[in-house]
Amino acid sequence: MLAYAPDLDRVFQALADPGRRLMVDRLSRGPASVSELGRPLAMTLAAVLQHVQVLEACGLVRSAKLGRTRTCSINPAALRSAESWIADRRTMVERNLDRLGEYLAATADQPDPTSHAEGQQ
Amino acid sequence: MLAYAPDLDRVFQALADPGRRLMVDRLSRGPASVSELGRPLAMTLAAVLQHVQVLEACGLVRSAKLGRTRTCSINPAALRSAESWIADRRTMVERNLDRLGEYLAATADQPDPTSHAEGQQ
DNA sequence: GAGATAGTCAAGTGGATGCTTCAGTGTCGC
DNA sequence: GCGACACTGAAGCATCCACTTGACTATCTC
């Protein structure tokens, strides 16, 4: 029954930060080093690293160290899982709205006043 | 240039909480009252209300009070904006991976050793 | 109208988050 | 070898978050 998904917590939490979204955005164009990711961010390298660790902990990003630079790249699978969680719900919502529309259209001519007060303000 | 989107912060932040995701999931099947949303959640009504307020503040949920009950319903537009932020990046990632694949395939027979050390651990 | 129901407001609390500084460590380039 | 570079770890700190309790307000229901 739709088991509790601990990873989604962390993925959405990770995406909630604008700096981390910027990193994801950058990485979606290709791999980058930690300092490269932090360049547009006006914060310490240490802070950047912490963000990278958050992204890595939730599976959004993978990284490997080569020499003295750590190269990060994105993991599309984690993006996909978050995306489809949302997509599934949105699809359901829209399907229900469509059915509601059909129902309203079908009962529009009938004199049954079972209308809920929808759409305030 | 992809302006800073303050709402996405709050939408992802809202979705980061498993209880709130459960509420969104419930609402994706149709409207519900505050106490109905909180029923499976083992927390105070006051706490449930706070979650609802978070969901409302980011635009994921709308609500209207009728009599003494507040009926909440979901707003698909907010879901859509979060979904497409992710989808855009994921699409970009996958396109780039495809291009990389093509590049590797095209240069596979050439004796140029420009291979990066990918895939650690 | 009295008691139950459904929600609301405000204040407080413990734990997580997002930084910082500082003191390293390992690598690169000359 | 030595200085610069890229990163790492630990500690500290301000703020935010997810609750709780307790007091209160409407609205039903009988």
Side-chain angles (χ1 to χ4, degrees):
Chain A
M1 326 253 170
L2 183 60
Y4 168 58
D7 282 358
L8 277 184
D9 289 22
R10 296 198 287 182
V11 169
F12 284 127
Q13 178 70 49
L15 293 178
D17 184 274
R20 283 191 299 250
R21 277 208 309 283
L22 206 65
M23 293 179 180
V24 168
D25 190 58
R26 167 65 189 80
L27 288 176
S28 71
R29 291 166 223 288
S33 71
V34 173
S35 40
E36 200 174 341
L37 288 178
R39 196 154 304 143
L41 280 185
M43 68 177 69
T44 317
L45 231 205
V48 175
L49 184 64
Q50 285 171 14
H51 282 302
V52 168
Q53 285 166 348
V54 168
L55 290 169
E56 228 176 328
C58 71
L60 272 171
V61 161
R62 296 165 190 277
S63 74
K65 195 156 184 181
L66 191 61
R68 63 181 163 172
T69 79
R70 172 172 297 277
T71 301
C72 306
S73 57
I74 212 164
N75 174 22
L79 279 179
R80 224 175 288 129
S81 72
E83 183 186 346
S84 51
W85 188 92
I86 301 178
D88 290 351
R89 272 77 202 168
R90 188 190 47 90
T91 305
M92 172 81 80
V93 173
E94 288 172 348
R95 195 193 318 159
N96 289 340
L97 288 181
D98 283 354
R99 283 203 311 211
L100 176 62
E102 287 168 15
Y103 170 79
L104 290 180
T107 59
D109 37 16
Q110 295 185 1
D112 184 356
T114 325
S115 58
H116 303 4
E118 285 289 334
Q120 79 301 352
Q121 205 240 5
Chain B
M1 308 294 196
L2 183 58
Y4 169 58
D7 283 358
L8 276 184
D9 288 23
R10 295 198 286 182
V11 170
F12 284 128
Q13 179 70 49
L15 293 178
D17 185 274
R20 282 190 300 252
R21 276 207 311 283
L22 206 64
M23 292 180 180
V24 167
D25 189 57
R26 167 64 189 79
L27 289 175
S28 71
R29 291 167 223 286
S33 70
V34 174
S35 40
E36 201 174 340
L37 286 178
R39 196 152 304 145
L41 280 185
M43 70 178 67
T44 317
L45 230 206
V48 175
L49 184 64
Q50 285 172 14
H51 282 303
V52 168
Q53 284 166 347
V54 168
L55 290 170
E56 228 175 329
C58 72
L60 273 171
V61 161
R62 295 165 189 279
S63 74
K65 196 157 182 180
L66 191 61
R68 63 180 164 173
T69 79
R70 173 173 296 278
T71 301
C72 305
S73 58
I74 211 164
N75 173 22
L79 279 179
R80 223 175 288 129
S81 73
E83 183 185 347
S84 52
W85 188 92
I86 301 179
D88 290 351
R89 272 76 202 170
R90 187 189 46 90
T91 305
M92 172 81 80
V93 172
E94 288 172 349
R95 195 194 317 159
N96 287 341
L97 287 180
D98 284 353
R99 283 204 313 215
L100 176 62
E102 287 167 15
Y103 170 79
L104 290 180
T107 59
D109 37 17
Q110 294 186 2
D112 185 356
T114 326
S115 58
H116 301 6
E118 284 291 332
Q120 79 300 353
Q121 203 242 3

